[in-house]
Amino acid sequence: MKSIQSNIKKAKKYLDKNHCVAVPTETVYGLAGNAYSNISVKKIFKLKRRPFNNPLIVHYFNINKLKKDCHISNDFIKLYNKFSPGPITFILRLKKNSKISRFVTNKQNSLAVRFPKHALLRKLLKSLDYPLAAPSANISTRLSSVKASDVTEEFGSKVKYVLDGGRCIIGVESTIINLLNKPVILRLGGLDISKIEKILQKKILIKKNLKKKIAPGQFPLHYSPGIPLRMNAKKPKKKEAFVLTKKRKVSFNNYYYLSKKNDLKQSAKNLYSLLRKIKNDGYKMVAVEKISNKGIGRTINDRLNKASKY
Ligand code: TXA
Ligand code: MG
């Protein structure tokens, strides 16, 4: 308990001084900085090697703190009450007098906001006078981090401090919903769309091939282990690692399992760390067997599809 408090204090100290700190969330680790500070936000882009035209998600403790920065709508309230804190990100209209750094939004008047569920991060957010801008803690186009050591692998000592919150329980990023007009899903993620549809009581469109340069997937390659990846493979080619979702009777050294019994939640949780392990084990190519497109399986396939554009 004592060390938790002192770790949070340490993270706060760095953040107050405009440094970047890696933080745990229930989805993936974030590379966080003070969202009101141009200095902090510019540091995030630099460390991640992220182009300034790709805006960041801002993380809040609760709706009260958000109201200073964004206009809220009825649909937002319904979804917030049901799913926050949790793996959903909302695109809202930014208030004119908001203190959000213009670098967060690339000077647009919309803001991506999220209320993460991880207890440690919630304690930290509560203690701060500002919300945290935080993209996933990885170099642009690469695999997201799901544990503290992944962050170190990505950034080495360039990140001042990693607040270690253990392994992320969901393992893939949040679902992004644009609420500026008619609700539209911009990114599949940790929260099932069917659950969102149930609350809003309508069918929700999923946006594909966004032309405007504001949304995920604008760069074809994303979530990549840094080696070529092939989907829907029946069997591996020579020298390929093979990723499976359930145990086979006959297994080989190059077989890697996302789950034992075709459990999709488990598979999502293991996805990035398994691909990271395959790369670190020295494989130059990876094949993945067909994964069911149900529930979070759809998110897994979305990530694999982007990772296959190597
Ligand atoms: O689970 C998550 O969402 C993680 C954790 C750390 O919270 N964060 C995350 O951030 O995945 P990032 O930066 O890797 O992905 C955020 C996506 C980007 O693709 C960006 O284009 C999109 O959100 N985005 C941010 N602001 C936006 C806006 N105003 N309109 C549309 N898309 C936006
Ligand atoms: Mg990312």
Side-chain angles (χ1 to χ4, degrees), residues 9-28:
K9 261 195 184 156
K10 207 165 166 183
K12 176 172 160 46
K13 209 171 108 191
Y14 280 118
L15 288 163
D16 284 348
K17 286 186 180 156
N18 287 326
H19 291 301
C20 294
V21 163
V23 294
T25 86
E26 74 282 25
T27 58
V28 298

PDB file of all heavy atoms in Angstrom, residues 9-28:
ATOM      1  N   LYS A   9       2.893   9.212  -6.159  1.00  0.00           N
ATOM      2  CA  LYS A   9       3.517  10.511  -5.865  1.00  0.00           C
ATOM      3  C   LYS A   9       4.656  10.805  -6.836  1.00  0.00           C
ATOM      4  O   LYS A   9       4.827  11.928  -7.317  1.00  0.00           O
ATOM      5  CB  LYS A   9       4.065  10.513  -4.434  1.00  0.00           C
ATOM      6  CG  LYS A   9       3.151  11.195  -3.469  1.00  0.00           C
ATOM      7  CD  LYS A   9       3.913  11.472  -2.181  1.00  0.00           C
ATOM      8  CE  LYS A   9       2.995  12.062  -1.140  1.00  0.00           C
ATOM      9  NZ  LYS A   9       3.501  11.816   0.202  1.00  0.00           N
ATOM     10  N   LYS A  10       5.425   9.756  -7.097  1.00  0.00           N
ATOM     11  CA  LYS A  10       6.571   9.890  -8.003  1.00  0.00           C
ATOM     12  C   LYS A  10       6.085  10.249  -9.421  1.00  0.00           C
ATOM     13  O   LYS A  10       6.609  11.163 -10.067  1.00  0.00           O
ATOM     14  CB  LYS A  10       7.316   8.551  -8.050  1.00  0.00           C
ATOM     15  CG  LYS A  10       8.777   8.663  -8.364  1.00  0.00           C
ATOM     16  CD  LYS A  10       9.411   7.331  -7.998  1.00  0.00           C
ATOM     17  CE  LYS A  10      10.796   7.210  -8.579  1.00  0.00           C
ATOM     18  NZ  LYS A  10      11.384   5.918  -8.287  1.00  0.00           N
ATOM     19  N   ALA A  11       5.059   9.526  -9.876  1.00  0.00           N
ATOM     20  CA  ALA A  11       4.497   9.794 -11.207  1.00  0.00           C
ATOM     21  C   ALA A  11       3.994  11.237 -11.271  1.00  0.00           C
ATOM     22  O   ALA A  11       4.248  11.963 -12.242  1.00  0.00           O
ATOM     23  CB  ALA A  11       3.364   8.816 -11.500  1.00  0.00           C
ATOM     24  N   LYS A  12       3.305  11.653 -10.223  1.00  0.00           N
ATOM     25  CA  LYS A  12       2.754  13.014 -10.181  1.00  0.00           C
ATOM     26  C   LYS A  12       3.855  14.066 -10.245  1.00  0.00           C
ATOM     27  O   LYS A  12       3.750  15.072 -10.935  1.00  0.00           O
ATOM     28  CB  LYS A  12       1.910  13.193  -8.907  1.00  0.00           C
ATOM     29  CG  LYS A  12       1.381  14.606  -8.712  1.00  0.00           C
ATOM     30  CD  LYS A  12       0.405  14.655  -7.545  1.00  0.00           C
ATOM     31  CE  LYS A  12       0.200  16.052  -6.980  1.00  0.00           C
ATOM     32  NZ  LYS A  12      -0.016  17.118  -7.925  1.00  0.00           N
ATOM     33  N   LYS A  13       4.933  13.772  -9.515  1.00  0.00           N
ATOM     34  CA  LYS A  13       6.050  14.721  -9.483  1.00  0.00           C
ATOM     35  C   LYS A  13       6.622  14.947 -10.894  1.00  0.00           C
ATOM     36  O   LYS A  13       6.838  16.074 -11.319  1.00  0.00           O
ATOM     37  CB  LYS A  13       7.140  14.177  -8.546  1.00  0.00           C
ATOM     38  CG  LYS A  13       7.961  15.259  -7.890  1.00  0.00           C
ATOM     39  CD  LYS A  13       8.862  14.673  -6.820  1.00  0.00           C
ATOM     40  CE  LYS A  13      10.297  14.691  -7.297  1.00  0.00           C
ATOM     41  NZ  LYS A  13      11.179  13.901  -6.432  1.00  0.00           N
ATOM     42  N   TYR A  14       6.823  13.859 -11.616  1.00  0.00           N
ATOM     43  CA  TYR A  14       7.332  13.982 -12.987  1.00  0.00           C
ATOM     44  C   TYR A  14       6.334  14.714 -13.884  1.00  0.00           C
ATOM     45  O   TYR A  14       6.707  15.596 -14.659  1.00  0.00           O
ATOM     46  CB  TYR A  14       7.644  12.604 -13.574  1.00  0.00           C
ATOM     47  CG  TYR A  14       8.966  12.039 -13.116  1.00  0.00           C
ATOM     48  CD1 TYR A  14       9.033  10.852 -12.394  1.00  0.00           C
ATOM     49  CD2 TYR A  14      10.164  12.693 -13.424  1.00  0.00           C
ATOM     50  CE1 TYR A  14      10.243  10.327 -11.977  1.00  0.00           C
ATOM     51  CE2 TYR A  14      11.384  12.175 -13.011  1.00  0.00           C
ATOM     52  CZ  TYR A  14      11.413  10.995 -12.295  1.00  0.00           C
ATOM     53  OH  TYR A  14      12.622  10.484 -11.889  1.00  0.00           O
ATOM     54  N   LEU A  15       5.067  14.337 -13.767  1.00  0.00           N
ATOM     55  CA  LEU A  15       4.044  14.951 -14.630  1.00  0.00           C
ATOM     56  C   LEU A  15       3.911  16.449 -14.347  1.00  0.00           C
ATOM     57  O   LEU A  15       3.793  17.255 -15.274  1.00  0.00           O
ATOM     58  CB  LEU A  15       2.692  14.250 -14.419  1.00  0.00           C
ATOM     59  CG  LEU A  15       2.606  12.830 -15.001  1.00  0.00           C
ATOM     60  CD1 LEU A  15       1.421  12.066 -14.411  1.00  0.00           C
ATOM     61  CD2 LEU A  15       2.529  12.863 -16.526  1.00  0.00           C
ATOM     62  N   ASP A  16       3.960  16.807 -13.059  1.00  0.00           N
ATOM     63  CA  ASP A  16       3.868  18.232 -12.687  1.00  0.00           C
ATOM     64  C   ASP A  16       5.014  19.036 -13.290  1.00  0.00           C
ATOM     65  O   ASP A  16       4.904  20.236 -13.501  1.00  0.00           O
ATOM     66  CB  ASP A  16       3.881  18.390 -11.155  1.00  0.00           C
ATOM     67  CG  ASP A  16       2.541  18.023 -10.514  1.00  0.00           C
ATOM     68  OD1 ASP A  16       1.548  17.877 -11.259  1.00  0.00           O
ATOM     69  OD2 ASP A  16       2.498  17.876  -9.273  1.00  0.00           O
ATOM     70  N   LYS A  17       6.130  18.335 -13.537  1.00  0.00           N
ATOM     71  CA  LYS A  17       7.287  19.040 -14.125  1.00  0.00           C
ATOM     72  C   LYS A  17       7.308  18.910 -15.646  1.00  0.00           C
ATOM     73  O   LYS A  17       8.360  19.067 -16.282  1.00  0.00           O
ATOM     74  CB  LYS A  17       8.577  18.460 -13.550  1.00  0.00           C
ATOM     75  CG  LYS A  17       8.813  18.895 -12.122  1.00  0.00           C
ATOM     76  CD  LYS A  17      10.172  18.413 -11.646  1.00  0.00           C
ATOM     77  CE  LYS A  17      10.411  18.848 -10.216  1.00  0.00           C
ATOM     78  NZ  LYS A  17      11.381  17.973  -9.551  1.00  0.00           N
ATOM     79  N   ASN A  18       6.168  18.553 -16.231  1.00  0.00           N
ATOM     80  CA  ASN A  18       6.017  18.456 -17.694  1.00  0.00           C
ATOM     81  C   ASN A  18       6.802  17.318 -18.338  1.00  0.00           C
ATOM     82  O   ASN A  18       7.108  17.378 -19.531  1.00  0.00           O
ATOM     83  CB  ASN A  18       6.405  19.768 -18.377  1.00  0.00           C
ATOM     84  CG  ASN A  18       5.361  20.841 -18.148  1.00  0.00           C
ATOM     85  OD1 ASN A  18       4.177  20.525 -18.073  1.00  0.00           O
ATOM     86  ND2 ASN A  18       5.796  22.074 -18.034  1.00  0.00           N
ATOM     87  N   HIS A  19       7.135  16.296 -17.548  1.00  0.00           N
ATOM     88  CA  HIS A  19       7.759  15.116 -18.151  1.00  0.00           C
ATOM     89  C   HIS A  19       6.681  14.115 -18.556  1.00  0.00           C
ATOM     90  O   HIS A  19       5.542  14.196 -18.090  1.00  0.00           O
ATOM     91  CB  HIS A  19       8.711  14.438 -17.155  1.00  0.00           C
ATOM     92  CG  HIS A  19       9.925  15.246 -16.860  1.00  0.00           C
ATOM     93  ND1 HIS A  19      10.805  15.629 -17.843  1.00  0.00           N
ATOM     94  CD2 HIS A  19      10.397  15.749 -15.694  1.00  0.00           C
ATOM     95  CE1 HIS A  19      11.778  16.330 -17.300  1.00  0.00           C
ATOM     96  NE2 HIS A  19      11.561  16.421 -16.000  1.00  0.00           N
ATOM     97  N   CYS A  20       7.071  13.145 -19.391  1.00  0.00           N
ATOM     98  CA  CYS A  20       6.142  12.070 -19.765  1.00  0.00           C
ATOM     99  C   CYS A  20       6.336  10.882 -18.833  1.00  0.00           C
ATOM    100  O   CYS A  20       7.461  10.554 -18.475  1.00  0.00           O
ATOM    101  CB  CYS A  20       6.418  11.587 -21.186  1.00  0.00           C
ATOM    102  SG  CYS A  20       6.087  12.825 -22.419  1.00  0.00           S
ATOM    103  N   VAL A  21       5.224  10.265 -18.488  1.00  0.00           N
ATOM    104  CA  VAL A  21       5.251   9.083 -17.631  1.00  0.00           C
ATOM    105  C   VAL A  21       4.380   8.012 -18.284  1.00  0.00           C
ATOM    106  O   VAL A  21       3.318   8.320 -18.814  1.00  0.00           O
ATOM    107  CB  VAL A  21       4.688   9.461 -16.225  1.00  0.00           C
ATOM    108  CG1 VAL A  21       4.293   8.231 -15.437  1.00  0.00           C
ATOM    109  CG2 VAL A  21       5.691  10.296 -15.451  1.00  0.00           C
ATOM    110  N   ALA A  22       4.823   6.760 -18.283  1.00  0.00           N
ATOM    111  CA  ALA A  22       3.981   5.687 -18.820  1.00  0.00           C
ATOM    112  C   ALA A  22       3.038   5.217 -17.724  1.00  0.00           C
ATOM    113  O   ALA A  22       3.451   5.045 -16.576  1.00  0.00           O
ATOM    114  CB  ALA A  22       4.837   4.528 -19.319  1.00  0.00           C
ATOM    115  N   VAL A  23       1.763   5.056 -18.090  1.00  0.00           N
ATOM    116  CA  VAL A  23       0.750   4.690 -17.088  1.00  0.00           C
ATOM    117  C   VAL A  23      -0.029   3.450 -17.529  1.00  0.00           C
ATOM    118  O   VAL A  23      -0.255   3.243 -18.719  1.00  0.00           O
ATOM    119  CB  VAL A  23      -0.245   5.858 -16.847  1.00  0.00           C
ATOM    120  CG1 VAL A  23       0.453   7.046 -16.212  1.00  0.00           C
ATOM    121  CG2 VAL A  23      -0.967   6.270 -18.136  1.00  0.00           C
ATOM    122  N   PRO A  24      -0.454   2.640 -16.549  1.00  0.00           N
ATOM    123  CA  PRO A  24      -1.240   1.450 -16.904  1.00  0.00           C
ATOM    124  C   PRO A  24      -2.707   1.822 -17.109  1.00  0.00           C
ATOM    125  O   PRO A  24      -3.228   2.689 -16.409  1.00  0.00           O
ATOM    126  CB  PRO A  24      -1.096   0.575 -15.654  1.00  0.00           C
ATOM    127  CG  PRO A  24      -0.953   1.546 -14.529  1.00  0.00           C
ATOM    128  CD  PRO A  24      -0.248   2.758 -15.083  1.00  0.00           C
ATOM    129  N   THR A  25      -3.347   1.196 -18.079  1.00  0.00           N
ATOM    130  CA  THR A  25      -4.811   1.287 -18.163  1.00  0.00           C
ATOM    131  C   THR A  25      -5.324  -0.142 -18.298  1.00  0.00           C
ATOM    132  O   THR A  25      -4.538  -1.069 -18.423  1.00  0.00           O
ATOM    133  CB  THR A  25      -5.313   2.135 -19.363  1.00  0.00           C
ATOM    134  OG1 THR A  25      -5.408   1.322 -20.516  1.00  0.00           O
ATOM    135  CG2 THR A  25      -4.436   3.347 -19.644  1.00  0.00           C
ATOM    136  N   GLU A  26      -6.627  -0.308 -18.304  1.00  0.00           N
ATOM    137  CA  GLU A  26      -7.181  -1.658 -18.458  1.00  0.00           C
ATOM    138  C   GLU A  26      -7.019  -2.171 -19.884  1.00  0.00           C
ATOM    139  O   GLU A  26      -7.074  -3.374 -20.121  1.00  0.00           O
ATOM    140  CB  GLU A  26      -8.653  -1.690 -18.027  1.00  0.00           C
ATOM    141  CG  GLU A  26      -9.644  -1.051 -18.996  1.00  0.00           C
ATOM    142  CD  GLU A  26      -9.668   0.469 -18.922  1.00  0.00           C
ATOM    143  OE1 GLU A  26      -8.664   1.082 -18.507  1.00  0.00           O
ATOM    144  OE2 GLU A  26     -10.695   1.040 -19.318  1.00  0.00           O
ATOM    145  N   THR A  27      -6.779  -1.265 -20.857  1.00  0.00           N
ATOM    146  CA  THR A  27      -6.617  -1.685 -22.256  1.00  0.00           C
ATOM    147  C   THR A  27      -5.143  -1.928 -22.565  1.00  0.00           C
ATOM    148  O   THR A  27      -4.712  -3.074 -22.704  1.00  0.00           O
ATOM    149  CB  THR A  27      -7.195  -0.623 -23.207  1.00  0.00           C
ATOM    150  OG1 THR A  27      -6.541   0.629 -22.977  1.00  0.00           O
ATOM    151  CG2 THR A  27      -8.697  -0.482 -23.016  1.00  0.00           C
ATOM    152  N   VAL A  28      -4.371  -0.849 -22.699  1.00  0.00           N
ATOM    153  CA  VAL A  28      -2.928  -0.931 -22.948  1.00  0.00           C
ATOM    154  C   VAL A  28      -2.252   0.184 -22.145  1.00  0.00           C
ATOM    155  O   VAL A  28      -2.931   1.077 -21.640  1.00  0.00           O
ATOM    156  CB  VAL A  28      -2.597  -0.748 -24.470  1.00  0.00           C
ATOM    157  CG1 VAL A  28      -3.239  -1.863 -25.306  1.00  0.00           C
ATOM    158  CG2 VAL A  28      -3.037   0.620 -24.992  1.00  0.00           C
TER     159      VAL A  28
END
